[in-house]
Every structure is written in C-alpha cells, then in structure tokens.
Coordinates of all heavy atoms in Angstrom, one line a residue:
M1172 N -14.7 7.8 -28.1 CA -14.5 6.6 -27.1 C -15.8 5.9 -27.0 O -16.9 6.5 -26.7 CB -14.0 7.2 -25.8 CG -13.6 6.2 -24.8 SD -12.9 6.9 -23.3 CE -11.4 7.7 -24.0
P1173 N -15.8 4.6 -27.1 CA -17.1 3.9 -27.0 C -17.7 3.9 -25.6 O -16.9 4.0 -24.6 CB -16.7 2.5 -27.5 CG -15.2 2.4 -27.2 CD -14.7 3.8 -27.4
R1174 N -19.0 3.7 -25.6 CA -19.6 3.6 -24.3 C -20.0 2.1 -24.1 O -20.4 1.4 -25.0 CB -20.9 4.4 -24.3 CG -20.6 5.9 -24.4 CD -21.9 6.7 -24.3 NE -22.9 6.2 -25.2 CZ -24.1 6.8 -25.4 NH1 -24.4 7.8 -24.6 NH2 -24.9 6.3 -26.2
Y1175 N -20.0 1.7 -22.9 CA -20.4 0.4 -22.5 C -21.4 0.4 -21.4 O -21.3 1.2 -20.5 CB -19.1 -0.4 -22.0 CG -18.1 -0.5 -23.1 CD1 -17.0 0.4 -23.1 CD2 -18.1 -1.5 -24.1 CE1 -16.1 0.3 -24.1 CE2 -17.2 -1.6 -25.0 CZ -16.1 -0.7 -25.1 OH -15.2 -0.8 -26.0
D1176 N -22.4 -0.4 -21.6 CA -23.5 -0.5 -20.6 C -23.2 -1.6 -19.7 O -22.8 -2.7 -20.1 CB -24.8 -0.7 -21.3 CG -25.3 0.5 -22.2 OD1 -24.9 1.6 -21.8 OD2 -26.0 0.3 -23.2
F1177 N -23.4 -1.3 -18.4 CA -23.3 -2.3 -17.4 C -24.5 -2.3 -16.6 O -25.3 -1.4 -16.5 CB -22.1 -1.9 -16.5 CG -20.7 -1.9 -17.2 CD1 -20.3 -0.9 -17.9 CD2 -20.0 -3.1 -17.1 CE1 -19.0 -0.9 -18.5 CE2 -18.7 -3.1 -17.7 CZ -18.3 -2.1 -18.4
R1178 N -24.7 -3.5 -15.9 CA -25.8 -3.6 -15.0 C -25.2 -4.2 -13.7 O -24.4 -5.1 -13.7 CB -26.8 -4.6 -15.5 CG -28.1 -4.6 -14.7 CD -29.2 -5.4 -15.3 NE -28.9 -6.8 -15.6 CZ -29.0 -7.7 -14.7 NH1 -29.5 -7.5 -13.5 NH2 -28.7 -9.0 -15.0
C1179 N -25.7 -3.6 -12.6 CA -25.2 -4.0 -11.3 C -26.2 -5.1 -10.8 O -27.4 -5.0 -10.9 CB -25.3 -2.8 -10.4 SG -24.8 -3.3 -8.7
R1180 N -25.5 -6.2 -10.4 CA -26.3 -7.3 -9.9 C -26.6 -7.2 -8.5 O -27.4 -7.9 -7.9 CB -25.6 -8.6 -10.2 CG -25.5 -8.9 -11.7 CD -25.2 -10.3 -12.0 NE -23.8 -10.7 -11.5 CZ -23.3 -11.9 -11.8 NH1 -23.9 -12.8 -12.5 NH2 -22.1 -12.1 -11.3
S1181 N -26.1 -6.2 -7.8 CA -26.3 -5.9 -6.4 C -27.6 -5.1 -6.2 O -28.5 -5.4 -5.4 CB -25.1 -5.3 -5.8 OG -24.0 -6.2 -5.8
C1182 N -27.7 -4.0 -7.0 CA -28.8 -3.1 -6.8 C -29.7 -3.1 -8.1 O -30.7 -2.4 -8.1 CB -28.4 -1.8 -6.4 SG -27.4 -0.9 -7.7
G1183 N -29.2 -3.7 -9.2 CA -30.0 -3.7 -10.4 C -29.9 -2.5 -11.2 O -30.6 -2.4 -12.2
A1184 N -29.1 -1.6 -10.9 CA -29.0 -0.4 -11.6 C -28.2 -0.6 -12.9 O -27.3 -1.5 -13.0 CB -28.3 0.7 -10.8
T1185 N -28.6 0.1 -13.9 CA -27.8 0.1 -15.2 C -27.1 1.4 -15.3 O -27.7 2.5 -15.1 CB -28.7 -0.2 -16.4 OG1 -29.8 0.8 -16.4 CG2 -29.4 -1.6 -16.3
F1186 N -26.0 1.3 -15.8 CA -25.2 2.5 -16.0 C -24.3 2.3 -17.2 O -24.1 1.2 -17.7 CB -24.4 2.9 -14.8 CG -23.5 1.8 -14.3 CD1 -22.1 1.9 -14.6 CD2 -24.0 0.7 -13.6 CE1 -21.3 0.9 -14.2 CE2 -23.1 -0.3 -13.1 CZ -21.7 -0.2 -13.4
E1187 N -23.7 3.4 -17.7 CA -22.8 3.3 -18.8 C -21.5 4.0 -18.5 O -21.5 5.0 -17.8 CB -23.5 3.8 -20.1 CG -23.8 5.3 -20.0 CD -24.5 5.8 -21.2 OE1 -25.2 5.0 -21.9 OE2 -24.4 6.9 -21.6
L1188 N -20.5 3.5 -19.1 CA -19.2 4.1 -18.9 C -18.5 4.3 -20.3 O -18.8 3.6 -21.2 CB -18.3 3.1 -18.1 CG -18.7 2.9 -16.6 CD1 -17.7 1.9 -16.0 CD2 -18.7 4.1 -15.8
R1189 N -17.8 5.3 -20.3 CA -16.9 5.6 -21.5 C -15.5 5.2 -21.1 O -14.9 5.7 -20.2 CB -17.0 7.0 -21.9 CG -18.4 7.5 -22.4 CD -18.4 8.9 -22.8 NE -19.7 9.4 -23.2 CZ -19.9 10.6 -23.6 NH1 -19.0 11.4 -23.8 NH2 -21.2 10.9 -23.9
R1190 N -15.0 4.3 -21.9 CA -13.7 3.8 -21.6 C -13.0 3.3 -22.9 O -13.8 3.0 -23.9 CB -13.7 2.7 -20.6 CG -14.7 1.6 -21.0 CD -14.5 0.4 -20.1 NE -14.5 0.6 -18.7 CZ -14.5 -0.3 -17.8 NH1 -14.5 -1.5 -18.1 NH2 -14.5 0.0 -16.5
P1191 N -11.7 3.3 -23.0 CA -11.1 2.8 -24.2 C -11.4 1.3 -24.4 O -11.7 0.6 -23.4 CB -9.6 2.9 -23.9 CG -9.5 4.0 -22.8 CD -10.8 3.8 -22.0
M1192 N -11.4 0.9 -25.6 CA -11.7 -0.5 -26.0 C -10.8 -1.4 -25.3 O -11.2 -2.6 -25.0 CB -11.7 -0.7 -27.5 CG -12.8 0.1 -28.2 SD -12.8 -0.3 -29.9 CE -13.4 -2.0 -29.9
A1193 N -9.6 -1.0 -25.0 CA -8.7 -1.9 -24.4 C -9.1 -2.2 -22.9 O -8.7 -3.2 -22.4 CB -7.3 -1.2 -24.3
Q1194 N -10.0 -1.4 -22.4 CA -10.5 -1.6 -21.0 C -11.9 -2.1 -21.0 O -12.6 -2.0 -20.0 CB -10.3 -0.4 -20.2 CG -8.9 0.2 -20.1 CD -8.8 1.5 -19.4 OE1 -9.7 1.9 -18.8 NE2 -7.6 2.1 -19.5
A1195 N -12.4 -2.5 -22.2 CA -13.8 -2.9 -22.3 C -14.2 -4.0 -21.4 O -15.3 -4.0 -20.9 CB -14.1 -3.3 -23.7
N1196 N -13.3 -4.9 -21.1 CA -13.6 -6.0 -20.3 C -13.1 -5.9 -18.9 O -13.2 -6.8 -18.1 CB -13.0 -7.3 -20.9 CG -13.6 -7.7 -22.2 OD1 -14.9 -7.5 -22.4 ND2 -12.9 -8.1 -23.2
D1197 N -12.7 -4.7 -18.6 CA -12.3 -4.5 -17.2 C -13.5 -4.4 -16.3 O -14.6 -4.0 -16.8 CB -11.5 -3.2 -17.1 CG -10.1 -3.4 -17.6 OD1 -9.8 -4.4 -18.1 OD2 -9.3 -2.4 -17.6
P1198 N -13.4 -4.8 -15.1 CA -14.6 -4.7 -14.2 C -15.0 -3.3 -13.9 O -14.1 -2.4 -13.8 CB -14.1 -5.4 -12.9 CG -12.6 -5.3 -13.0 CD -12.2 -5.4 -14.4
A1199 N -16.3 -3.1 -13.9 CA -16.8 -1.7 -13.7 C -17.4 -1.7 -12.3 O -17.9 -2.7 -11.8 CB -17.8 -1.4 -14.7
V1200 N -17.4 -0.6 -11.7 CA -18.0 -0.4 -10.4 C -19.3 0.4 -10.6 O -19.3 1.4 -11.2 CB -17.0 0.3 -9.5 CG1 -17.7 0.5 -8.1 CG2 -15.7 -0.5 -9.3
C1201 N -20.3 -0.1 -9.9 CA -21.6 0.6 -9.9 C -21.5 2.0 -9.3 O -20.7 2.2 -8.4 CB -22.6 -0.3 -9.1 SG -24.1 0.5 -8.7
P1202 N -22.3 2.9 -9.8 CA -22.3 4.2 -9.2 C -22.6 4.2 -7.7 O -22.2 5.1 -6.9 CB -23.4 5.0 -9.9 CG -23.5 4.3 -11.2 CD -23.2 2.9 -11.0
Q1203 N -23.2 3.1 -7.3 CA -23.5 3.0 -5.8 C -22.3 2.3 -5.1 O -22.4 2.1 -3.9 CB -24.8 2.1 -5.6 CG -26.0 2.7 -6.4 CD -26.4 4.1 -5.9 OE1 -26.3 4.4 -4.7 NE2 -26.8 4.9 -6.8
G1204 N -21.3 1.9 -5.9 CA -20.2 1.4 -5.2 C -20.1 -0.1 -5.3 O -19.2 -0.7 -4.7
H1205 N -21.1 -0.8 -5.9 CA -21.0 -2.2 -6.0 C -20.1 -2.7 -7.1 O -20.0 -2.0 -8.1 CB -22.5 -2.8 -6.2 CG -23.5 -2.3 -5.3 ND1 -24.7 -1.7 -5.6 CD2 -23.4 -2.2 -3.9 CE1 -25.3 -1.4 -4.6 NE2 -24.6 -1.7 -3.5
E1206 N -19.5 -3.8 -6.8 CA -18.5 -4.3 -7.8 C -19.1 -5.5 -8.6 O -18.4 -6.0 -9.5 CB -17.2 -4.7 -7.1 CG -16.5 -3.5 -6.5 CD -15.2 -3.9 -5.8 OE1 -14.9 -5.1 -5.8 OE2 -14.5 -3.1 -5.3
D1207 N -20.2 -6.0 -8.2 CA -20.8 -7.1 -8.9 C -21.6 -6.7 -10.1 O -22.8 -6.6 -10.1 CB -21.7 -7.9 -7.9 CG -22.1 -9.2 -8.5 OD1 -21.6 -9.6 -9.6 OD2 -23.0 -9.9 -7.9
T1208 N -20.9 -6.4 -11.2 CA -21.6 -5.8 -12.3 C -21.3 -6.7 -13.5 O -20.3 -7.4 -13.6 CB -21.1 -4.4 -12.6 OG1 -19.7 -4.4 -12.9 CG2 -21.4 -3.5 -11.5
V1209 N -22.2 -6.6 -14.5 CA -22.0 -7.4 -15.7 C -22.1 -6.4 -16.9 O -22.9 -5.4 -16.9 CB -23.1 -8.5 -15.9 CG1 -22.9 -9.6 -14.9 CG2 -24.5 -7.9 -15.8
K1210 N -21.3 -6.7 -17.9 CA -21.4 -5.8 -19.1 C -22.5 -6.2 -20.0 O -22.6 -7.4 -20.3 CB -20.0 -5.8 -19.8 CG -19.9 -4.8 -20.9 CD -18.5 -4.5 -21.3 CE -17.8 -5.7 -22.0 NZ -18.4 -5.8 -23.4
L1211 N -23.2 -5.3 -20.5 CA -24.3 -5.6 -21.4 C -23.9 -5.4 -22.8 O -23.0 -4.6 -23.1 CB -25.5 -4.7 -21.1 CG -26.0 -4.7 -19.7 CD1 -27.2 -3.7 -19.5 CD2 -26.5 -6.1 -19.3
L1212 N -24.6 -6.2 -23.6 CA -24.3 -6.0 -25.1 C -25.1 -4.8 -25.5 O -26.3 -4.8 -25.5 CB -24.8 -7.3 -25.8 CG -24.0 -8.5 -25.5 CD1 -24.6 -9.7 -26.3 CD2 -22.5 -8.4 -25.9
S1213 N -24.4 -3.9 -26.0 CA -25.0 -2.6 -26.5 C -24.6 -2.3 -27.9 O -23.6 -2.9 -28.4 CB -24.7 -1.5 -25.5 OG -23.3 -1.3 -25.5
T1214 N -25.3 -1.4 -28.4 CA -24.9 -1.0 -29.8 C -23.8 0.0 -29.7 O -24.0 1.2 -29.5 CB -26.2 -0.4 -30.5 OG1 -26.6 0.7 -29.7 CG2 -27.3 -1.4 -30.6
V1215 N -22.7 -0.4 -29.9 CA -21.5 0.4 -29.9 C -21.3 1.0 -31.3 O -21.3 0.3 -32.3 CB -20.3 -0.3 -29.4 CG1 -19.0 0.6 -29.4 CG2 -20.5 -0.9 -28.0
A1216 N -21.1 2.3 -31.3 CA -20.8 2.9 -32.6 C -19.5 2.5 -33.1 O -18.4 3.0 -32.7 CB -20.9 4.4 -32.5
V1217 N -19.5 1.5 -34.0 CA -18.2 1.0 -34.5 C -18.0 1.6 -35.9 O -18.9 1.6 -36.7 CB -18.3 -0.5 -34.6 CG1 -16.9 -1.0 -35.2 CG2 -18.5 -1.1 -33.3
T1218 N -16.8 2.1 -36.1 CA -16.5 2.7 -37.4 C -15.9 1.6 -38.2 O -14.8 1.2 -38.1 CB -15.5 3.8 -37.2 OG1 -14.3 3.3 -36.6 CG2 -16.1 5.0 -36.4
G1219 N -16.8 1.1 -39.1 CA -16.3 0.0 -39.9 C -17.5 -0.5 -40.8 O -18.6 0.1 -40.8
A1220 N -17.2 -1.5 -41.6 CA -18.2 -2.0 -42.5 C -19.1 -3.2 -41.9 O -19.9 -3.7 -42.5 CB -17.6 -2.5 -43.8
A1221 N -18.8 -3.5 -40.7 CA -19.5 -4.6 -40.0 C -21.0 -4.3 -39.9 O -21.8 -5.2 -39.9 CB -18.9 -4.9 -38.7
A1222 N -21.3 -3.0 -39.7 CA -22.7 -2.7 -39.4 C -23.5 -2.6 -40.7 O -24.7 -2.4 -40.7 CB -22.8 -1.4 -38.7
A1223 N -22.8 -2.7 -41.9 CA -23.5 -2.5 -43.1 C -23.8 -3.9 -43.8 O -23.9 -3.9 -45.0 CB -22.7 -1.6 -44.0
G1224 N -23.8 -4.9 -43.1 CA -24.0 -6.2 -43.7 C -25.4 -6.4 -44.3 O -26.3 -5.9 -43.7
P1225 N -25.5 -7.0 -45.4 CA -26.8 -7.2 -46.0 C -27.6 -8.2 -45.2 O -27.1 -9.2 -44.7 CB -26.5 -7.7 -47.4 CG -25.1 -8.4 -47.3 CD -24.4 -7.6 -46.2
Q1226 N -28.9 -8.0 -45.1 CA -29.8 -8.8 -44.4 C -30.3 -9.9 -45.3 O -30.5 -11.1 -44.8 CB -30.9 -8.0 -43.8 CG -30.5 -7.0 -42.8 CD -29.9 -7.7 -41.5 OE1 -30.3 -8.8 -41.1 NE2 -28.9 -7.1 -40.9
A1227 N -30.5 -9.7 -46.6 CA -31.1 -10.6 -47.5 C -29.9 -11.2 -48.4 O -29.0 -10.5 -48.7 CB -32.1 -10.0 -48.3
P1228 N -30.1 -12.4 -48.8 CA -29.1 -13.0 -49.7 C -29.1 -12.3 -51.0 O -30.2 -12.0 -51.5 CB -29.5 -14.5 -49.8 CG -30.9 -14.5 -49.4 CD -31.1 -13.4 -48.4
S1229 N -28.0 -12.0 -51.6 CA -27.9 -11.3 -52.8 C -27.6 -12.2 -53.9 O -26.5 -12.6 -54.2 CB -26.9 -10.2 -52.7 OG -25.6 -10.8 -52.5
G1230 N -28.6 -12.7 -54.6 CA -28.5 -13.6 -55.8 C -28.1 -15.0 -55.4 O -27.3 -15.2 -54.4
G1231 N -28.6 -15.9 -56.1 CA -28.2 -17.3 -55.9 C -29.1 -17.9 -54.8 O -29.0 -17.6 -53.7
G1232 N -29.9 -18.9 -55.3 CA -30.7 -19.5 -54.3 C -31.9 -18.7 -53.8 O -32.5 -19.0 -52.8
G1233 N -32.3 -17.8 -54.6 CA -33.4 -16.9 -54.3 C -34.7 -17.7 -54.5 O -35.7 -17.3 -53.9
G1234 N -34.7 -18.6 -55.3 CA -36.0 -19.4 -55.6 C -36.8 -18.8 -56.6 O -38.0 -19.3 -56.8
G1235 N -36.4 -17.7 -57.3 CA -37.2 -17.1 -58.3 C -37.2 -17.9 -59.6 O -37.2 -19.2 -59.6
C1236 N -37.2 -17.2 -60.7 CA -37.2 -17.9 -61.9 C -35.9 -18.6 -62.2 O -35.7 -19.8 -62.2 CB -37.5 -17.0 -63.1 SG -37.5 -17.8 -64.7
C1237 N -34.8 -17.8 -62.3 CA -33.5 -18.3 -62.5 C -33.0 -19.0 -61.2 O -33.2 -18.5 -60.1 CB -32.5 -17.2 -62.9 SG -33.0 -16.4 -64.5
G1238 N -32.4 -20.1 -61.4 CA -32.0 -20.8 -60.2 C -32.8 -22.0 -59.9 O -32.4 -23.0 -59.3
G1239 N -34.0 -21.9 -60.4 CA -34.9 -23.1 -60.2 C -34.9 -24.0 -61.4 O -35.5 -25.1 -61.3
G1240 N -34.3 -23.7 -62.4 CA -34.2 -24.5 -63.6 C -35.2 -24.3 -64.6 O -35.3 -25.0 -65.6
C1241 N -36.1 -23.3 -64.4 CA -37.1 -23.0 -65.4 C -36.7 -22.2 -66.5 O -37.4 -22.1 -67.5 CB -38.3 -22.3 -64.7 SG -37.9 -20.7 -64.0
C1242 N -35.5 -21.6 -66.5 CA -35.1 -20.7 -67.5 C -33.7 -21.0 -67.9 O -33.0 -20.1 -68.3 CB -35.3 -19.2 -67.2 SG -34.4 -18.8 -65.7
G1243 N -33.3 -22.1 -67.7 CA -31.9 -22.4 -68.1 C -31.7 -23.7 -68.6 O -30.7 -24.1 -69.1
Ligands
LIG827 ZN1 -25.1 -1.3 -7.5

C-alpha cells in the first residue's frame, strides 16, 4: 500500500499515511486533529516502468559526428 506524505497547515507537522490509491486524494487529518492538511508530492514506490525513464536522449540530435553532417 503506498504511503502519502501530508503537511498540516495548522501546526506545520508533516506526517504520512498508508492508504489505498483510491483514497489518495481524500482529506487527511493531522495527528493533532487538524483538518487543514495538504498532500505532498513524495516518492511513491510505483511498480511500473515509469521510474526507469532515460534521462539522456538516446541517439539522434546528439551533436556528435553523425547527425551533424560531417560523416554522411
Ligand atoms: Zn496539525
């Protein structure tokens, strides 16, 4: 079950909850009982390929030899 980080705007506390993804956007209540909380963007362990995206472009427009017209 994913964890979600929340921050309370009443007392400034941060806390995390474990809840189903279907309830990810449901309002959370601060451990102190405050209801004015915001959900923080956190690194949720997602099982998928989204986290394995390449950071650098793979081929094409690299600016090296090929592509610049010097070898073709
Ligand atoms: Zn609070």
Side-chain angles (χ1 to χ4, degrees):
M1172 189 173 296
R1174 294 184 310 182
Y1175 299 95
D1176 291 331
F1177 292 86
R1178 186 170 64 85
C1179 177
R1180 294 197 294 185
S1181 293
C1182 67
T1185 56
F1186 57 99
E1187 63 182 30
L1188 294 177
R1189 293 183 186 182
R1190 51 169 51 176
M1192 292 184 71
Q1194 301 176 10
N1196 292 321
D1197 286 2
V1200 179
C1201 168
Q1203 305 299 325
H1205 306 130
E1206 295 182 357
D1207 188 9
T1208 59
V1209 292
K1210 188 161 72 72
L1211 302 177
L1212 294 176
S1213 60
T1214 57
V1215 179
V1217 179
T1218 57
Q1226 296 294 326
S1229 59
C1236 179
C1237 296
C1241 62
C1242 60

